[in-house]
Amino acid sequence: MLFGVGCDLCEVARMEKSLFGAHGAAFEARVFGTGERQALALTDCRADPSARRCTHRAASAAADFAAKEAFLKAAGTGLRVMGCSLLPENG
């Protein structure tokens, strides 16, 4: 049964600022689950966020965040509940 439809966007530059700024670790812990943080591997980007791999990881984080936000909107919960995680499929 379909409860709702959600669509969302997240600007990569804004996500980079949030992840690699002064409170990046707290933002990451609040928004992404343990498995998501491991998959994104953002910790090693804190020292040099300008590295190409870090820009790609921030883009992946922005896409994950937008997908979570769209799901939560479709479910009708809004951003109050961030208890869902997006994990890569094995295979």
Side-chain angles (χ1 to χ4, degrees):
M1 175 184 279
L2 183 66
F3 289 103
V5 176
C7 181
D8 216 312
L9 299 172
C10 181
E11 190 175 340
V12 176
R14 189 170 181 185
M15 182 59 69
E16 283 178 320
K17 184 178 176 184
S18 297
L19 288 171
F20 306 132
H23 305 288
F27 174 78
E28 182 182 342
R30 186 175 69 244
V31 172
F32 298 109
T34 306
E36 290 173 304
R37 290 195 306 268
Q38 289 174 348
L40 289 169
L42 296 167
T43 342
D44 59 335
C45 289
R46 299 218 193 286
D48 183 18
S50 64
R52 185 181 175 107
R53 73 183 185 293
C54 296
T55 302
H56 177 70
R57 290 178 186 173
S60 294
D64 288 355
F65 181 79
K68 287 173 81 164
E69 203 171 22
F71 170 78
L72 292 171
K73 284 180 181 178
T77 63
L79 291 179
R80 295 184 314 268
V81 181
M82 288 301 278
C84 67
S85 290
L86 296 173
L87 299 174
E89 189 175 36
N90 292 336

